[in-house]
Amino acid sequence: MAQILVVDDEVGIRELLSEILRDEGYDVKLAENAAAARGARRAQRPDLVLLDIWMPDTDGITLLKEWSASGQLNMPVIMMSGHGTIDTAVEATRIGAQDFLEKPIALQKLLATIRNALQRAPAAVSAPGLSLAAFARSPILRDLKRRIEQVAANSRTVLLKTRAGGFAELAARTLQAPGKAFVDLVASGSPLDLAALEAAAGGVLFAPELAQLTRLQQKNLVFAAERAERYRLHVVAATREPFEHLLRLGMDEAFLARRFDAWVAVPSLAEIRGDIPELAGHVLTQLHEAGDVPLRYLSSAALNEMRNYSWPGGWDELKTAVRSAALAAPGEEIAAEDVARLIGAAPDEPLQMPALDRPLREAREAFERLYFEFQLRQDNGNMTRLAERTGLERTHLYRKLRQLGLQPGRRGDPEP
C-alpha cells in the first residue's frame, strides 16, 4: 500500500483528498503547513507527496528546493495550486517535481497523475547529493555558492582552491542539477569515452585533488574538459597545491591555463564552525535516507562538540564521524560522549581576538560568538550552569545564542 503525504493549509482540501485517496486504498498522512511536512518527511519517507504551493509559513516551491538541496527529494512530488502559472510549473519541474495539478482538481485527473507518478517512482528515487544550496542561512556558504555559480555561468570548467580540512565535494555538488550525473573522476581506472560523456550529459565531472591524479585520470580530465560544452558538462577540479607544484607533477601548463583560468577559494571546516551543526545534521539525514544508519539525532551537546573540533580531515572526516556515531549510539540520541570518543577530546583553545578592522557591530558579534562557544564547551551545553557563569537570565541567554547561530541547551533541558 503506497503512502501519500498531503500538504495543504486548507483543512477542507486535506480532508477531501484524504477521503478520496483512502477509498482508493492508499495510506494517507496529512500536513497543514511546511513545518508539519518537514516533520513528517523526517519521520518517514512517503511514496508520494501532494504539495500545495501557497502556504502561510513556507511556500511549496521553497520547501521543494529544501528537500532537493538536502537530498530528501527522493520520492515523486506533485505540486498543487489554485493560482498556478506556466512559469511556476516550469520552475517546480526544474527543481524536481514530477507533475503539476491546478485546483480545483478533477478526480480522474488526480488519480491518473498519482498512478503515473508512482509507476515512474524508481526513476525519482535518485536525489542529488548534499550541496551548498541546503545552507541558505549561512552567509559564508551562501556567498560561496553564488561565486561558484557565477564562475560556472561563464566557464564549463571550475577550479576550487581548497585548504586542509576543506569541503570540495560539497562545493562541487552545487552545480549538480536534479536527475543529472555526478561523476568522481578518481573512482574509475578506465579511460573515458564518448559513451561515458553521453551518459553523464548535463552533469558534473569532479576531480577531488589535481595533484593526486594518475596519468590516466589526467587524460580523462583533459578529454572531458575539451568536450564539456558539447555534452553540457561542468568539470570541477579541486587542489590545495600551487600552480607551480602541479606543473612539477607533469600536468599540462597550457591546459591548466586555458581551462582553469578562474578559480574559487573554498574555506576549511574550521573557518565555518558556526555551520558545523547544520552540516552534521544534513549528513545524518542523508545517511538515514540511504539506509546506511538507523534513525538517529544529534544532541545539542554533541553538536557543540563537533563545532569545537577543527576537522583537519575535512568533509570526509565529518561524514565518517557522523556515520560512526550513528552506528555506535546505543539509542536514538547521539550524545557528546559518543562524538568525543570518535574525534578525541579537543584541548581548550584560547579566545582569538576578532579582527579590529571590522565595524564595531561585527567585531562585537564575533567576540560574543567566541565567548559563548567557549562557555558552552566548558558547561557541556548545560543551560543552568551557563546562565550562572555568564550572569544572564535564561530567556535572554536563549535569545542571544540563537542570534549568534549557536545551539542552546541539551535534550531534556527545558527552554523558558
Side-chain angles (χ1 to χ4, degrees):
M1 180 190 302
Q3 183 185 100
I4 298 178
L5 173 63
V6 177
V7 187
D8 198 300
D9 64 312
E10 296 185 45
V11 62
I13 292 179
R14 289 200 309 275
E15 291 178 351
L16 176 61
L17 290 175
S18 175
E19 182 179 344
I20 292 172
L21 296 175
R22 287 195 171 108
D23 286 346
E24 293 294 319
Y26 295 113
D27 177 21
V28 182
K29 303 292 183 184
L30 302 177
E32 68 274 15
N33 53 35
R38 291 187 189 100
R41 177 63 190 83
R42 281 194 299 269
Q44 183 178 4
R45 182 180 68 192
D47 296 298
L48 182 142
V49 178
L50 290 173
L51 178 59
D52 188 31
I53 288 183
W54 304 109
M55 294 185 292
D57 56 344
T58 302
D59 66 86
I61 294 292
T62 300
L63 183 59
L64 189 71
K65 289 179 180 178
E66 287 180 17
W67 282 342
S68 177
S70 63
Q72 291 183 291
L73 191 56
N74 46 10
M75 68 284 174
V77 174
I78 299 172
M79 307 300 292
M80 305 182 296
S81 176
H83 310 282
T85 65
I86 293 177
D87 289 343
T88 304
V90 169
E91 172 71 0
T93 304
R94 185 190 66 78
I95 297 167
Q98 281 214 11
D99 217 323
F100 189 95
L101 292 173
E102 190 171 359
K103 298 177 182 178
I105 305 170
L107 176 60
Q108 294 307 316
K109 174 70 171 176
L110 170 69
L111 297 179
T113 302
I114 289 175
R115 282 196 299 270
N116 291 336
L118 289 172
Q119 288 171 1
R120 300 198 306 266
V125 169
S126 177
L130 189 62
S131 77
L132 296 176
F135 306 97
R137 289 178 292 181
S138 167
I140 295 176
L141 297 183
R142 192 168 60 241
D143 178 66
L144 176 60
K145 175 178 180 290
R146 180 191 60 78
R147 288 186 285 116
I148 291 173
E149 291 175 338
Q150 189 168 307
V151 171
N154 296 287
S155 175
R156 285 287 174 183
T157 51
V158 179
L159 179 63
L160 303 177
K161 294 295 291 292
T162 60
R163 310 179 191 184
F167 45 95
E169 180 189 337
L170 180 69
R173 284 189 180 274
T174 298
L175 300 177
Q176 182 187 8
K180 300 301 181 181
F182 185 89
V183 180
D184 189 335
L185 288 174
V186 305
S188 173
S190 303
L192 277 182
D193 57 20
L194 294 180
L197 296 185
E198 181 65 40
V204 176
L205 272 64
F206 176 53
E209 174 51 71
L210 285 175
Q212 295 177 0
L213 296 182
T214 65
R215 293 294 183 191
L216 174 60
Q217 290 163 354
Q218 289 183 28
K219 290 181 179 179
N220 284 344
L221 177 66
V222 173
F223 182 82
E226 298 293 351
R227 294 160 179 80
E229 189 66 42
R230 175 182 173 186
Y231 292 95
R232 307 180 312 284
L233 294 165
H234 277 111
V235 179
V236 183
T239 187
R240 291 164 48 185
E241 305 297 338
F243 190 78
E244 295 76 15
H245 181 67
L246 296 176
L247 297 181
R248 288 196 296 270
L249 293 174
M251 297 208 70
D252 185 273
E253 180 175 5
F255 168 76
L256 289 174
R258 183 173 69 255
R259 290 295 173 182
F260 297 106
D261 57 339
W263 52 271
V264 179
V266 177
S268 67
L269 289 181
E271 294 174 274
I272 57 165
R273 287 190 176 186
D275 299 309
I276 295 295
E278 192 176 6
L279 284 165
H282 278 301
V283 170
L284 185 57
T285 296
Q286 281 214 317
L287 289 171
H288 175 62
E289 289 293 324
D292 291 340
V293 302
L295 181 62
R296 295 286 185 266
Y297 63 89
L298 288 151
S299 69
S300 295
L303 292 172
N304 286 324
E305 192 80 31
M306 289 184 161
R307 180 192 290 108
N308 294 324
Y309 183 60
S310 61
W311 301 103
W315 183 236
D316 288 339
E317 184 184 11
L318 176 62
K319 291 192 296 183
T320 301
V322 172
R323 183 175 188 275
S324 300
L327 290 174
E332 287 192 0
E333 180 182 77
I334 300 174
E337 295 76 16
D338 300 319
V339 173
R341 290 189 194 99
L342 293 168
I343 61 179
D348 289 344
E349 299 178 5
L351 290 177
Q352 301 295 320
M353 179 67 70
L356 298 180
D357 57 352
R358 301 183 185 185
L360 177 60
R361 181 182 59 79
E362 291 184 12
R364 182 173 60 241
E365 182 175 309
F367 172 77
E368 288 180 343
R369 183 176 293 106
L370 287 169
Y371 172 80
F372 282 106
E373 283 178 350
F374 175 81
Q375 298 296 347
L376 282 165
R377 184 166 67 246
Q378 292 296 104
D379 292 315
N380 199 26
N382 186 296
M383 297 301 288
T384 300
R385 289 202 299 268
L386 183 59
E388 293 172 354
R389 183 191 291 267
T390 60
L392 292 176
E393 191 269 328
R394 283 183 48 150
T395 300
H396 179 63
L397 179 59
Y398 272 93
R399 188 181 303 117
K400 172 58 70 175
L401 291 177
R402 288 200 183 93
Q403 288 173 352
L404 296 173
L406 302 178
Q407 290 285 332
R410 303 178 301 189
R411 180 173 174 81
D413 193 1
E415 184 173 344

Tab-separated table of all heavy atoms in Angstrom, residues 196-248:
chain	number	residue	atom	x	y	z
A	196	ALA	N	30.582	7.399	-22.301
A	196	ALA	CA	30.536	7.798	-20.890
A	196	ALA	C	30.141	9.262	-20.759
A	196	ALA	O	29.375	9.626	-19.849
A	196	ALA	CB	31.899	7.560	-20.240
A	197	LEU	N	30.635	10.112	-21.646
A	197	LEU	CA	30.257	11.528	-21.610
A	197	LEU	C	28.783	11.709	-21.967
A	197	LEU	O	28.092	12.547	-21.376
A	197	LEU	CB	31.130	12.335	-22.562
A	197	LEU	CG	32.627	12.402	-22.240
A	197	LEU	CD1	33.325	13.347	-23.205
A	197	LEU	CD2	32.863	12.834	-20.807
A	198	GLU	N	28.300	10.926	-22.912
A	198	GLU	CA	26.890	10.992	-23.284
A	198	GLU	C	26.008	10.592	-22.104
A	198	GLU	O	24.975	11.224	-21.837
A	198	GLU	CB	26.625	10.067	-24.475
A	198	GLU	CG	25.183	10.082	-24.959
A	198	GLU	CD	24.770	11.428	-25.527
A	198	GLU	OE1	25.581	12.056	-26.241
A	198	GLU	OE2	23.630	11.859	-25.233
A	199	ALA	N	26.427	9.568	-21.358
A	199	ALA	CA	25.655	9.112	-20.202
A	199	ALA	C	25.632	10.156	-19.094
A	199	ALA	O	24.685	10.240	-18.314
A	199	ALA	CB	26.226	7.800	-19.677
A	200	ALA	N	26.708	10.950	-19.007
A	200	ALA	CA	26.814	11.977	-17.958
A	200	ALA	C	26.353	13.344	-18.431
A	200	ALA	O	26.484	14.327	-17.692
A	200	ALA	CB	28.258	12.063	-17.477
A	201	ALA	N	25.799	13.445	-19.626
A	201	ALA	CA	25.437	14.734	-20.224
A	201	ALA	C	24.584	15.574	-19.273
A	201	ALA	O	23.639	15.089	-18.656
A	201	ALA	CB	24.685	14.513	-21.533
A	202	GLY	N	24.974	16.840	-19.144
A	202	GLY	CA	24.257	17.758	-18.269
A	202	GLY	C	24.666	17.678	-16.814
A	202	GLY	O	24.154	18.424	-15.984
A	203	GLY	N	25.612	16.786	-16.498
A	203	GLY	CA	26.018	16.581	-15.119
A	203	GLY	C	27.338	17.228	-14.766
A	203	GLY	O	27.802	18.157	-15.436
A	204	VAL	N	27.965	16.716	-13.708
A	204	VAL	CA	29.218	17.250	-13.186
A	204	VAL	C	30.256	16.143	-13.152
A	204	VAL	O	29.991	15.035	-12.682
A	204	VAL	CB	29.035	17.817	-11.757
A	204	VAL	CG1	30.364	18.271	-11.182
A	204	VAL	CG2	28.035	18.965	-11.768
A	205	LEU	N	31.452	16.446	-13.657
A	205	LEU	CA	32.605	15.559	-13.515
A	205	LEU	C	33.555	16.213	-12.529
A	205	LEU	O	33.919	17.379	-12.697
A	205	LEU	CB	33.305	15.329	-14.863
A	205	LEU	CG	32.758	14.165	-15.718
A	205	LEU	CD1	31.325	14.431	-16.129
A	205	LEU	CD2	33.626	13.935	-16.949
A	206	PHE	N	33.959	15.468	-11.519
A	206	PHE	CA	34.674	16.054	-10.378
A	206	PHE	C	36.013	15.368	-10.159
A	206	PHE	O	36.109	14.133	-10.133
A	206	PHE	CB	33.798	15.909	-9.126
A	206	PHE	CG	34.434	16.392	-7.850
A	206	PHE	CD1	34.965	17.676	-7.756
A	206	PHE	CD2	34.501	15.567	-6.738
A	206	PHE	CE1	35.549	18.120	-6.578
A	206	PHE	CE2	35.068	15.996	-5.558
A	206	PHE	CZ	35.601	17.272	-5.471
A	207	ALA	N	37.048	16.178	-9.987
A	207	ALA	CA	38.383	15.688	-9.623
A	207	ALA	C	38.718	16.232	-8.244
A	207	ALA	O	38.965	17.433	-8.095
A	207	ALA	CB	39.421	16.150	-10.649
A	208	PRO	N	38.719	15.391	-7.185
A	208	PRO	CA	38.874	15.887	-5.819
A	208	PRO	C	40.205	16.566	-5.521
A	208	PRO	O	40.256	17.475	-4.700
A	208	PRO	CB	38.711	14.625	-4.958
A	208	PRO	CG	38.089	13.610	-5.845
A	208	PRO	CD	38.488	13.948	-7.230
A	209	GLU	N	41.289	16.122	-6.161
A	209	GLU	CA	42.603	16.734	-5.929
A	209	GLU	C	43.461	16.540	-7.173
A	209	GLU	O	43.869	15.418	-7.500
A	209	GLU	CB	43.295	16.128	-4.705
A	209	GLU	CG	44.721	16.602	-4.478
A	209	GLU	CD	44.886	18.123	-4.483
A	209	GLU	OE1	44.428	18.756	-3.521
A	209	GLU	OE2	45.465	18.657	-5.457
A	210	LEU	N	43.743	17.623	-7.880
A	210	LEU	CA	44.521	17.544	-9.116
A	210	LEU	C	45.886	16.903	-8.894
A	210	LEU	O	46.368	16.139	-9.732
A	210	LEU	CB	44.699	18.946	-9.707
A	210	LEU	CG	43.486	19.572	-10.398
A	210	LEU	CD1	43.805	21.000	-10.821
A	210	LEU	CD2	43.042	18.743	-11.587
A	211	ALA	N	46.504	17.188	-7.756
A	211	ALA	CA	47.861	16.703	-7.510
A	211	ALA	C	47.922	15.194	-7.327
A	211	ALA	O	49.002	14.609	-7.396
A	211	ALA	CB	48.445	17.397	-6.273
A	212	GLN	N	46.781	14.546	-7.100
A	212	GLN	CA	46.780	13.106	-6.864
A	212	GLN	C	46.250	12.304	-8.049
A	212	GLN	O	46.091	11.083	-7.959
A	212	GLN	CB	45.936	12.798	-5.619
A	212	GLN	CG	46.526	13.369	-4.340
A	212	GLN	CD	45.650	13.116	-3.127
A	212	GLN	OE1	44.588	12.514	-3.223
A	212	GLN	NE2	46.099	13.590	-1.975
A	213	LEU	N	45.990	12.961	-9.167
A	213	LEU	CA	45.504	12.254	-10.341
A	213	LEU	C	46.607	11.424	-10.975
A	213	LEU	O	47.744	11.871	-11.112
A	213	LEU	CB	44.967	13.246	-11.382
A	213	LEU	CG	43.742	14.084	-11.001
A	213	LEU	CD1	43.329	14.973	-12.174
A	213	LEU	CD2	42.580	13.202	-10.572
A	214	THR	N	46.274	10.197	-11.383
A	214	THR	CA	47.211	9.377	-12.143
A	214	THR	C	47.289	9.908	-13.571
A	214	THR	O	46.506	10.774	-13.974
A	214	THR	CB	46.747	7.916	-12.161
A	214	THR	OG1	45.492	7.844	-12.886
A	214	THR	CG2	46.532	7.372	-10.738
A	215	ARG	N	48.213	9.383	-14.342
A	215	ARG	CA	48.332	9.813	-15.737
A	215	ARG	C	47.036	9.564	-16.494
A	215	ARG	O	46.579	10.415	-17.265
A	215	ARG	CB	49.482	9.059	-16.419
A	215	ARG	CG	50.857	9.400	-15.886
A	215	ARG	CD	51.221	10.822	-16.187
A	215	ARG	NE	52.574	11.146	-15.743
A	215	ARG	CZ	53.080	12.357	-15.697
A	215	ARG	NH1	52.319	13.384	-16.065
A	215	ARG	NH2	54.315	12.578	-15.283
A	216	LEU	N	46.432	8.402	-16.263
A	216	LEU	CA	45.185	8.088	-16.948
A	216	LEU	C	44.080	9.054	-16.518
A	216	LEU	O	43.308	9.546	-17.351
A	216	LEU	CB	44.763	6.648	-16.641
A	216	LEU	CG	43.386	6.232	-17.175
A	216	LEU	CD1	43.326	6.362	-18.691
A	216	LEU	CD2	43.032	4.812	-16.742
A	217	GLN	N	44.008	9.354	-15.227
A	217	GLN	CA	42.984	10.275	-14.737
A	217	GLN	C	43.202	11.688	-15.267
A	217	GLN	O	42.233	12.409	-15.543
A	217	GLN	CB	42.952	10.253	-13.212
A	217	GLN	CG	42.409	8.949	-12.649
A	217	GLN	CD	42.747	8.734	-11.193
A	217	GLN	OE1	43.496	9.516	-10.592
A	217	GLN	NE2	42.219	7.665	-10.608
A	218	GLN	N	44.464	12.083	-15.434
A	218	GLN	CA	44.753	13.380	-16.042
A	218	GLN	C	44.243	13.419	-17.485
A	218	GLN	O	43.655	14.402	-17.931
A	218	GLN	CB	46.249	13.664	-16.012
A	218	GLN	CG	46.804	13.965	-14.638
A	218	GLN	CD	48.287	14.308	-14.674
A	218	GLN	OE1	48.796	14.808	-15.677
A	218	GLN	NE2	48.985	14.037	-13.587
A	219	LYS	N	44.458	12.316	-18.210
A	219	LYS	CA	43.977	12.236	-19.593
A	219	LYS	C	42.449	12.281	-19.641
A	219	LYS	O	41.862	12.925	-20.520
A	219	LYS	CB	44.497	10.953	-20.260
A	219	LYS	CG	45.993	10.954	-20.525
A	219	LYS	CD	46.422	9.659	-21.202
A	219	LYS	CE	47.920	9.665	-21.483
A	219	LYS	NZ	48.365	8.390	-22.119
A	220	ASN	N	41.810	11.604	-18.675
A	220	ASN	CA	40.339	11.644	-18.616
A	220	ASN	C	39.829	13.061	-18.353
A	220	ASN	O	38.819	13.491	-18.915
A	220	ASN	CB	39.840	10.711	-17.518
A	220	ASN	CG	39.906	9.249	-17.912
A	220	ASN	OD1	40.040	8.916	-19.100
A	220	ASN	ND2	39.818	8.360	-16.935
A	221	LEU	N	40.547	13.781	-17.484
A	221	LEU	CA	40.170	15.159	-17.180
A	221	LEU	C	40.265	16.026	-18.428
A	221	LEU	O	39.345	16.805	-18.742
A	221	LEU	CB	41.070	15.716	-16.078
A	221	LEU	CG	40.851	17.176	-15.687
A	221	LEU	CD1	39.479	17.366	-15.047
A	221	LEU	CD2	41.947	17.660	-14.735
A	222	VAL	N	41.363	15.910	-19.167
A	222	VAL	CA	41.545	16.687	-20.395
A	222	VAL	C	40.481	16.308	-21.423
A	222	VAL	O	39.865	17.174	-22.067
A	222	VAL	CB	42.959	16.463	-20.975
A	222	VAL	CG1	43.094	17.129	-22.344
A	222	VAL	CG2	44.019	16.993	-20.021
A	223	PHE	N	40.234	15.010	-21.567
A	223	PHE	CA	39.245	14.504	-22.522
A	223	PHE	C	37.864	15.097	-22.230
A	223	PHE	O	37.162	15.554	-23.134
A	223	PHE	CB	39.210	12.976	-22.430
A	223	PHE	CG	38.264	12.321	-23.404
A	223	PHE	CD1	38.633	12.095	-24.726
A	223	PHE	CD2	36.997	11.920	-22.999
A	223	PHE	CE1	37.758	11.485	-25.619
A	223	PHE	CE2	36.116	11.316	-23.882
A	223	PHE	CZ	36.492	11.091	-25.201
A	224	ALA	N	37.487	15.105	-20.951
A	224	ALA	CA	36.172	15.625	-20.568
A	224	ALA	C	36.102	17.136	-20.731
A	224	ALA	O	35.102	17.679	-21.229
A	224	ALA	CB	35.865	15.238	-19.126
A	225	ALA	N	37.145	17.835	-20.302
A	225	ALA	CA	37.136	19.297	-20.362
A	225	ALA	C	37.059	19.802	-21.800
A	225	ALA	O	36.371	20.796	-22.085
A	225	ALA	CB	38.375	19.851	-19.668
A	226	GLU	N	37.737	19.126	-22.721
A	226	GLU	CA	37.734	19.563	-24.116
A	226	GLU	C	36.377	19.346	-24.785
A	226	GLU	O	36.086	19.939	-25.823
A	226	GLU	CB	38.814	18.801	-24.904
A	226	GLU	CG	40.244	19.044	-24.417
A	226	GLU	CD	40.706	20.469	-24.667
A	226	GLU	OE1	39.996	21.221	-25.364
A	226	GLU	OE2	41.782	20.842	-24.170
A	227	ARG	N	35.544	18.510	-24.194
A	227	ARG	CA	34.233	18.208	-24.789
A	227	ARG	C	33.083	18.640	-23.878
A	227	ARG	O	31.936	18.250	-24.079
A	227	ARG	CB	34.138	16.698	-25.065
A	227	ARG	CG	35.122	16.249	-26.142
A	227	ARG	CD	35.376	14.753	-26.085
A	227	ARG	NE	36.304	14.351	-27.140
A	227	ARG	CZ	37.628	14.498	-27.052
A	227	ARG	NH1	38.172	15.026	-25.956
A	227	ARG	NH2	38.409	14.118	-28.051
A	228	ALA	N	33.390	19.433	-22.858
A	228	ALA	CA	32.388	19.812	-21.862
A	228	ALA	C	31.229	20.588	-22.471
A	228	ALA	O	30.062	20.369	-22.114
A	228	ALA	CB	33.045	20.631	-20.755
A	229	GLU	N	31.515	21.493	-23.380
A	229	GLU	CA	30.458	22.305	-23.986
A	229	GLU	C	29.509	21.434	-24.801
A	229	GLU	O	28.280	21.588	-24.719
A	229	GLU	CB	31.085	23.382	-24.874
A	229	GLU	CG	30.093	24.423	-25.375
A	229	GLU	CD	29.526	25.282	-24.251
A	229	GLU	OE1	30.313	25.683	-23.367
A	229	GLU	OE2	28.301	25.526	-24.261
A	230	ARG	N	30.055	20.520	-25.546
A	230	ARG	CA	29.244	19.659	-26.411
A	230	ARG	C	28.258	18.824	-25.598
A	230	ARG	O	27.105	18.631	-26.019
A	230	ARG	CB	30.161	18.747	-27.233
A	230	ARG	CG	29.443	17.716	-28.079
A	230	ARG	CD	30.437	16.838	-28.812
A	230	ARG	NE	29.785	15.729	-29.498
A	230	ARG	CZ	30.441	14.761	-30.122
A	230	ARG	NH1	31.776	14.782	-30.167
A	230	ARG	NH2	29.785	13.775	-30.709
A	231	TYR	N	28.696	18.354	-24.430
A	231	TYR	CA	27.842	17.482	-23.614
A	231	TYR	C	27.236	18.216	-22.412
A	231	TYR	O	26.714	17.586	-21.512
A	231	TYR	CB	28.640	16.261	-23.135
A	231	TYR	CG	29.003	15.326	-24.269
A	231	TYR	CD1	30.237	15.419	-24.906
A	231	TYR	CD2	28.087	14.391	-24.735
A	231	TYR	CE1	30.567	14.573	-25.955
A	231	TYR	CE2	28.405	13.538	-25.783
A	231	TYR	CZ	29.650	13.634	-26.396
A	231	TYR	OH	29.968	12.798	-27.440
A	232	ARG	N	27.326	19.525	-22.415
A	232	ARG	CA	26.725	20.364	-21.356
A	232	ARG	C	27.211	19.934	-19.963
A	232	ARG	O	26.433	19.858	-19.000
A	232	ARG	CB	25.188	20.319	-21.426
A	232	ARG	CG	24.629	20.649	-22.789
A	232	ARG	CD	23.123	20.597	-22.836
A	232	ARG	NE	22.556	19.397	-22.229
A	232	ARG	CZ	22.547	18.188	-22.802
A	232	ARG	NH1	23.094	18.019	-24.003
A	232	ARG	NH2	21.992	17.162	-22.192
A	233	LEU	N	28.483	19.616	-19.880
A	233	LEU	CA	29.079	19.159	-18.631
A	233	LEU	C	29.739	20.310	-17.890
A	233	LEU	O	30.229	21.262	-18.500
A	233	LEU	CB	30.143	18.094	-18.900
A	233	LEU	CG	29.671	16.761	-19.470
A	233	LEU	CD1	30.858	15.977	-20.007
A	233	LEU	CD2	28.949	15.951	-18.398
A	234	HIS	N	29.748	20.209	-16.554
A	234	HIS	CA	30.611	21.067	-15.755
A	234	HIS	C	31.739	20.187	-15.214
A	234	HIS	O	31.480	19.158	-14.583
A	234	HIS	CB	29.844	21.700	-14.594
A	234	HIS	CG	29.100	22.930	-14.992
A	234	HIS	ND1	27.720	22.998	-15.050
A	234	HIS	CD2	29.543	24.161	-15.376
A	234	HIS	CE1	27.352	24.197	-15.443
A	234	HIS	NE2	28.434	24.919	-15.649
A	235	VAL	N	32.959	20.584	-15.496
A	235	VAL	CA	34.130	19.863	-14.999
A	235	VAL	C	34.702	20.675	-13.841
A	235	VAL	O	35.163	21.802	-14.026
A	235	VAL	CB	35.189	19.672	-16.103
A	235	VAL	CG1	36.411	18.942	-15.544
A	235	VAL	CG2	34.592	18.896	-17.272
A	236	VAL	N	34.639	20.099	-12.648
A	236	VAL	CA	35.071	20.796	-11.439
A	236	VAL	C	36.270	20.056	-10.858
A	236	VAL	O	36.204	18.851	-10.599
A	236	VAL	CB	33.947	20.859	-10.391
A	236	VAL	CG1	34.396	21.658	-9.179
A	236	VAL	CG2	32.686	21.470	-10.994
A	237	ALA	N	37.366	20.781	-10.676
A	237	ALA	CA	38.577	20.194	-10.100
A	237	ALA	C	38.973	20.989	-8.869
A	237	ALA	O	38.785	22.201	-8.808
A	237	ALA	CB	39.710	20.199	-11.124
A	238	ALA	N	39.530	20.305	-7.892
A	238	ALA	CA	39.968	20.963	-6.656
A	238	ALA	C	41.444	20.675	-6.431
A	238	ALA	O	41.967	19.638	-6.860
A	238	ALA	CB	39.154	20.455	-5.469
A	239	THR	N	42.104	21.589	-5.743
A	239	THR	CA	43.500	21.355	-5.378
A	239	THR	C	43.907	22.251	-4.216
A	239	THR	O	43.397	23.368	-4.078
A	239	THR	CB	44.445	21.593	-6.564
A	239	THR	OG1	45.774	21.194	-6.194
A	239	THR	CG2	44.461	23.063	-6.989
A	240	ARG	N	44.801	21.719	-3.390
A	240	ARG	CA	45.415	22.507	-2.323
A	240	ARG	C	46.788	23.002	-2.744
A	240	ARG	O	47.428	23.764	-2.020
A	240	ARG	CB	45.560	21.644	-1.062
A	240	ARG	CG	44.245	21.299	-0.404
A	240	ARG	CD	44.375	20.161	0.594
A	240	ARG	NE	45.473	20.330	1.514
A	240	ARG	CZ	45.843	19.413	2.418
A	240	ARG	NH1	45.177	18.282	2.500
A	240	ARG	NH2	46.856	19.636	3.223
A	241	GLU	N	47.259	22.540	-3.896
A	241	GLU	CA	48.635	22.808	-4.316
A	241	GLU	C	48.738	24.048	-5.191
A	241	GLU	O	47.819	24.351	-5.960
A	241	GLU	CB	49.201	21.606	-5.076
A	241	GLU	CG	49.134	20.293	-4.320
A	241	GLU	CD	49.962	20.317	-3.048
A	241	GLU	OE1	50.893	21.141	-2.966
A	241	GLU	OE2	49.687	19.505	-2.150
A	242	PRO	N	49.878	24.767	-5.118
A	242	PRO	CA	50.081	25.907	-6.017
A	242	PRO	C	50.281	25.445	-7.455
A	242	PRO	O	50.635	24.284	-7.718
A	242	PRO	CB	51.353	26.571	-5.457
A	242	PRO	CG	52.051	25.486	-4.704
A	242	PRO	CD	50.989	24.594	-4.163
A	243	PHE	N	50.061	26.352	-8.372
A	243	PHE	CA	50.162	26.068	-9.800
A	243	PHE	C	51.513	25.449	-10.151
A	243	PHE	O	51.604	24.483	-10.917
A	243	PHE	CB	49.950	27.370	-10.575
A	243	PHE	CG	49.795	27.203	-12.062
A	243	PHE	CD1	48.591	26.768	-12.595
A	243	PHE	CD2	50.842	27.488	-12.920
A	243	PHE	CE1	48.443	26.618	-13.969
A	243	PHE	CE2	50.703	27.343	-14.287
A	243	PHE	CZ	49.495	26.904	-14.819
A	244	GLU	N	52.585	25.980	-9.570
A	244	GLU	CA	53.933	25.506	-9.892
A	244	GLU	C	54.118	24.045	-9.505
A	244	GLU	O	54.799	23.284	-10.200
A	244	GLU	CB	54.981	26.369	-9.183
A	244	GLU	CG	55.018	27.823	-9.641
A	244	GLU	CD	53.862	28.639	-9.078
A	244	GLU	OE1	53.196	28.163	-8.119
A	244	GLU	OE2	53.612	29.751	-9.597
A	245	HIS	N	53.524	23.640	-8.386
A	245	HIS	CA	53.657	22.252	-7.956
A	245	HIS	C	52.935	21.314	-8.916
A	245	HIS	O	53.431	20.205	-9.213
A	245	HIS	CB	53.097	22.082	-6.544
A	245	HIS	CG	53.211	20.694	-6.006
A	245	HIS	ND1	54.426	20.110	-5.706
A	245	HIS	CD2	52.266	19.753	-5.729
A	245	HIS	CE1	54.234	18.886	-5.255
A	245	HIS	NE2	52.925	18.650	-5.267
A	246	LEU	N	51.788	21.739	-9.435
A	246	LEU	CA	51.061	20.917	-10.394
A	246	LEU	C	51.875	20.719	-11.671
A	246	LEU	O	51.885	19.631	-12.257
A	246	LEU	CB	49.718	21.566	-10.734
A	246	LEU	CG	48.715	21.693	-9.581
A	246	LEU	CD1	47.466	22.438	-10.045
A	246	LEU	CD2	48.329	20.319	-9.035
A	247	LEU	N	52.597	21.762	-12.081
A	247	LEU	CA	53.442	21.640	-13.272
A	247	LEU	C	54.588	20.667	-13.028
A	247	LEU	O	54.959	19.883	-13.911
A	247	LEU	CB	53.992	23.013	-13.676
A	247	LEU	CG	52.950	24.059	-14.091
A	247	LEU	CD1	53.641	25.360	-14.495
A	247	LEU	CD2	52.081	23.534	-15.222
A	248	ARG	N	55.157	20.694	-11.818
A	248	ARG	CA	56.244	19.769	-11.497
A	248	ARG	C	55.760	18.324	-11.499
A	248	ARG	O	56.546	17.393	-11.725
A	248	ARG	CB	56.861	20.107	-10.137
A	248	ARG	CG	57.708	21.377	-10.140
A	248	ARG	CD	58.597	21.461	-8.918
A	248	ARG	NE	57.832	21.553	-7.686
A	248	ARG	CZ	57.439	22.690	-7.126
A	248	ARG	NH1	57.730	23.853	-7.729
A	248	ARG	NH2	56.759	22.702	-5.990
